[in-house]
């Protein structure tokens, strides 16, 4: 079946399982400054065959080493010493994070060949804009942006390793627990530098259920009982948070946020360089990650459009890394999915259509929410739609610039504009928990700013002139949308207003007023 799996696209679960297993055979080494790559690999190979490796820079050079066999790690650990406690006393927790230094300093004479370093962050927007201007058309620009921003193979390995290292801690208390990434690290829409969302899972229930049927007795563990699942979650996270804080090598700035709707522990994992959020198993969040994974795998235009729209939103301050009244990246991604469902013919299927394609093994009802949808990508018919990304980008801004947000909501289950069930300015149905609005946090001023920016962007793309672009050497296409409006050339902004309807002018002026913090306060206070 291995060959079979290679020819077809892997299911979400297959990919996750494979990567988790890979991470268990992996170690992370802080290397000496003058490193001879060949010598390092030669030494490590004495403990077992190395399947893959790469180097990256993070306050010094680090090597991620993936062995073919898990036993190689135990063999290596046997050879590794405990740091001498001269001025510091150490917590003797043995992890898979090691520091290598050279016993004999390298003489200056030896020829150094610098190791190749894998980048773990994306280029700044300024550099991106220059790259975009060299592309041939908007479609190519969007793929350039995607290639610069998307997670690399190496970065994904590092994310799974971070989860695997936290799992080693959790297992001290709960021997069969696992720690798995969810959200942007695994849904194909993560960009380099995004946080790692991970959750702690205790149930390998399926393996268990079959064994329990045998024998004459009903048998169960005696376990501590608590009045609510929430309390159990808080207690578990509190202890594991303390454990990471006190004993976790490289775990710093540990914050326990136990009273949130979804209790979590935030920490910075220095060895991998990630900001991590640890929560306890959330099956619905996993299903959302899988749904996006499926959409991202179905057609290459899906990810290209999402990455471009999210970068555009970030540049214009429509999204923000701190929580507030801004549109979130998740909401924005869902808006792009909805737009692609509305094309004729549709580029991606609705959630109801994916549910119709599901079979017995895809049935998942979680806390009364039906989360069933097909997991096998080969069962989904490819789209007949051949529209270019140039067209789709312009139409996305056009569509939402003129969307009737007052009356309609966005429903990915049906792929239809549905009357709003309540009066939030922006209503996007949670695909699985049908009574929740995923964009409940967005206020009217922020929505109006989004609409104004979308209209302005649609306008810029429509007005663009090929010859103009050749003569002026000004940023064009996607690049022109990634420069804050009104900054590059204020007179252009004024001329533009002449061609607009009064409503557009009003919303544009509103959005400009809003960029002034005082009026934002007033607007929120109204």
């Amino acid at each position: 079946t291995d060959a079979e799996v290679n020819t077809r696209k892997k299911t979400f679960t297959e990919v996750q399982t494979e990567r988790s297993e890979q991470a268990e055979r992996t170690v992370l080494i802080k290397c000496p400054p003058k490193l001879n790559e060949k010598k390092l690999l030669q030494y490590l190979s004495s403990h077992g065959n190395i399947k893959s490796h790469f180097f990256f820079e993070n306050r010094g050079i680090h090597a991620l080493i993936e062995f073919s066999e898990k036993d190689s790690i135990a063999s290596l650990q046997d050879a590794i010493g405990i740091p001498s406690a001269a001025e510091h006393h150490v917590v003797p927790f043995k992890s898979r994070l090691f520091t290598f230094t050279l016993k004999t300093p390298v003489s200056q004479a030896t020829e150094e060949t610098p190791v190749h370093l894998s980048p773990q962050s994306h280029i700044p927007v300024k550099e991106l804009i220059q790259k975009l201007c060299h592309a041939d058309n908007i479609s190519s620009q969007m793929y350039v942006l995607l290639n610069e921003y998307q997670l690399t193979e190496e970065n994904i390995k590092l994310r799974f390793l971070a989860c695997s290292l936290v799992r080693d801690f959790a297992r001290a208390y709960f021997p069969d627990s696992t720690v798995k990434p969810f959200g942007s690290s695994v849904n194909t829409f993560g960009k380099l530098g995004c946080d790692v969302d991970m959750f702690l899972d205790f149930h390998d229930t399926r393996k268990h259920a079959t064994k329990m049927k045998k024998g004459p007795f009903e048998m169960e563990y005696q376990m501590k009982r608590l009045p609510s699942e929430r309390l159990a979650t808080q207690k578990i996270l509190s202890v594991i948070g303390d454990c990471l804080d006190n004993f976790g090598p490289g775990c710093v700035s540990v914050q326990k946020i136990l009273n949130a709707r979804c209790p979590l522990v935030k920490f910075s994992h220095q060895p991998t360089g990630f900001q991590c959020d640890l929560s306890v198993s959330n099956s619905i969040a996993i299903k959302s990650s899988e749904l996006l994974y499926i959409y991202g795998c179905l057609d290459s235009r899906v990810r290209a459009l999402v990455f471009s729209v999210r970068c555009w939103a970030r540049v214009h301050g429509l999204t923000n890394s701190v929580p507030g009244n801004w549109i979130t990246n998740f909401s924005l991604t869902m808006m792009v999915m909805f737009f692609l469902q509305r094309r004729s013919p549709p580029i991606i299927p609705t959630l109801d259509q994916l549910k119709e394609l599901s079979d017995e093994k895809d049935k998942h009802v979680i806390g009364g929410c039906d989360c069933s949808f097909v997991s096998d990508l080969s069962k989904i018919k490819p789209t007949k739609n051949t529209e270019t990304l140039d067209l789709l980008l312009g139409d996305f801004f056009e569509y939402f610039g003129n969307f009737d947000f007052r009356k309609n909501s966005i429903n990915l289950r049906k792929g239809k504009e549905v009357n709003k069930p309540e009066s939030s300015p922006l209503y996007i149905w949670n695909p699985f928990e049908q009574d929740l609005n995923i964009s409940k946090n967005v206020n009217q001023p922020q929505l109006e700013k989004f609409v104004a920016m979308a209209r302005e962007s649609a306008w810029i793309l429509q007005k663009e002139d090929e010859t103009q672009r050749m003569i002026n050497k000004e940023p064009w296409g996607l690049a022109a949308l990634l420069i804050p409006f009104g900054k590059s050339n204020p007179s252009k902004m004024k001329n533009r207003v002449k061609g607009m309807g009064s409503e557009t002018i009003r919303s544009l002026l509103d959005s400009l007023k809003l960029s002034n913090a005082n009026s934002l306060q007033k607007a929120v206070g109204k």
Side-chain angles (χ1 to χ4, degrees), residues 92-137:
F93 177 81
K94 298 187 175 121
S95 72
R96 287 177 281 143
L97 299 165
F98 314 126
T99 302
F100 281 26
T101 41
L102 287 165
K103 286 179 183 168
T104 48
V106 180
S107 64
Q108 287 301 317
T110 49
E111 267 309 297
E112 256 183 89
T113 43
V115 294
H116 169 71
L117 299 174
S118 301
Q120 304 302 320
S121 59
H122 60 75
I123 57 174
V125 175
K126 274 205 175 78
E127 270 177 55
L128 175 70
I129 289 173
Q130 288 170 354
K131 273 200 171 171
L132 295 181
C133 292
H134 297 310
D136 292 337
N137 51 32

